[in-house]
Amino acid sequence: LWGDVVEEINQKRPDLSILSSEFFWPATEREIKYIADVLHDFDTRILVYVRNQKSLAKSIYRQIVKGEKYVGGIKEVVKNRTWIFDYKKIVSKWESVFGESSVEMKIFEKQDDGVVRGFADRAGITWQEGAETKQNVSPPDQVIHLVRGLNAVENVCPSALKPFVHRARRNILGGREPGNTVYALVAPFLSSTIMSSSCETWFRRKTKNMRDRFIKEYVSRGDRKIFKV
């Protein structure tokens, strides 16, 4: 794969090549060294986006409920992925390989004009007004509660009913009828948050050391409130 990437860059000779993936986040130092070796002929810059850890935890949970038909709670998801929130450890791996001057960090919550536009501006790409459209927008927490319930129903209901449950799930996530009507009827009975106060307390304690180390080294005093949990 990396050989194909380098070959395409060499063939097309663009002024700028962008390689973007969430799978860079869990890369090991060995893998990062391999990437650096493959790209050694290029002037490489690493741009990292970070966000409030609690906000990230909730986003990951929403995606798992939506995409993997998960039926458990958010605490179980976080327990198996605590490494994701150790920003200092992750960013420092890229810095140790590419050098601190080649790694730049951006705060997700500070991208007032949108992450895509902010990235375009940073990369020197001409921005066309109206070019950005919101995609993969996270649904409200109450929708996630309802979808999680439908996931559980789909797991145990007779095969003949599964297509109907699946369709209802898609309609609710897509904001279509009759999903909207179903949601309106049950929303008053659903919790308004996917992270309870007790879970939030647990999460705060679980990630405190990670957060403190990251904030102390990488975040200015003016921006530290963004990472408060």
Side-chain angles (χ1 to χ4, degrees):
L1 174 62
W2 281 102
D4 293 338
V5 169
V6 173
E7 182 179 356
E8 182 174 346
I9 294 173
N10 284 327
Q11 286 179 350
K12 296 188 176 181
R13 294 290 179 179
D15 294 330
L16 174 70
S17 296
I18 298 174
L19 306 176
S20 177
S21 173
E22 292 181 349
F23 292 104
F24 287 143
W25 194 246
T28 64
E29 189 163 340
R30 180 180 179 182
E31 291 169 334
I32 296 171
K33 286 179 179 178
Y34 174 77
I35 294 172
D37 184 58
V38 170
L39 301 176
H40 73 278
D41 289 333
F42 304 99
D43 180 15
T44 306
R45 296 288 184 268
I46 311 299
L47 185 58
V48 183
Y49 283 87
V50 294
R51 67 192 297 183
N52 175 284
Q53 281 98 333
K54 185 178 77 170
S55 176
L56 176 61
K58 294 175 71 173
S59 177
I60 292 171
Y61 180 69
R62 292 187 187 102
Q63 292 303 316
I64 290 176
V65 171
K66 289 166 53 181
E68 301 179 18
K69 297 185 178 181
Y70 185 70
V71 298
I74 189 172
K75 188 173 182 179
E76 288 71 26
V77 170
V78 172
K79 278 183 178 179
N80 296 325
R81 296 168 175 82
T82 52
W83 63 269
I84 291 176
F85 309 103
D86 196 348
Y87 294 172
K88 179 183 184 299
K89 183 176 181 179
I90 292 170
V91 174
S92 63
K93 284 188 296 185
W94 291 88
E95 289 180 333
S96 68
V97 176
F98 283 91
E100 291 185 18
S101 61
S102 295
V103 180
E104 181 178 346
M105 191 187 68
K106 294 285 188 180
I107 298 176
F108 181 87
E109 285 82 358
K110 291 186 68 177
Q111 308 305 302
D112 296 331
D113 294 328
V115 172
V116 177
R117 178 164 185 168
F119 178 82
D121 290 342
R122 175 61 187 85
I125 301 172
T126 302
W127 180 257
Q128 182 178 354
E129 290 297 335
E132 182 176 7
T133 58
K134 289 187 176 181
Q135 298 180 352
N136 198 27
V137 178
S138 294
D141 286 3
Q142 289 172 308
V143 168
I144 293 299
H145 279 301
L146 179 54
V147 169
R148 187 180 67 174
L150 290 173
N151 291 345
V153 171
E154 188 174 351
N155 287 342
V156 299
C157 73
S159 297
L161 295 179
K162 288 184 183 294
F164 297 100
V165 178
H166 180 68
R167 187 180 304 168
R169 181 178 175 278
R170 289 180 60 188
N171 285 341
I172 290 169
L173 284 172
R176 299 185 297 269
E177 293 295 349
N180 283 340
T181 300
V182 173
Y183 171 66
L185 290 173
V186 301
F189 304 99
L190 300 172
S191 172
S192 60
T193 179
I194 55 177
M195 183 177 282
S196 65
S197 58
S198 60
C199 182
E200 185 172 310
T201 299
W202 171 84
F203 180 77
R204 185 184 303 114
R205 292 172 178 169
K206 190 73 174 178
T207 59
K208 183 180 186 303
N209 290 336
M210 300 178 189
R211 188 167 51 257
D212 289 348
R213 290 196 303 267
F214 167 71
I215 288 175
K216 183 178 180 180
E217 186 167 339
Y218 289 94
V219 183
S220 67
R221 292 190 178 276
D223 290 334
R224 291 180 182 183
K225 60 183 179 181
I226 294 174
F227 295 90
K228 183 178 180 181
V229 174

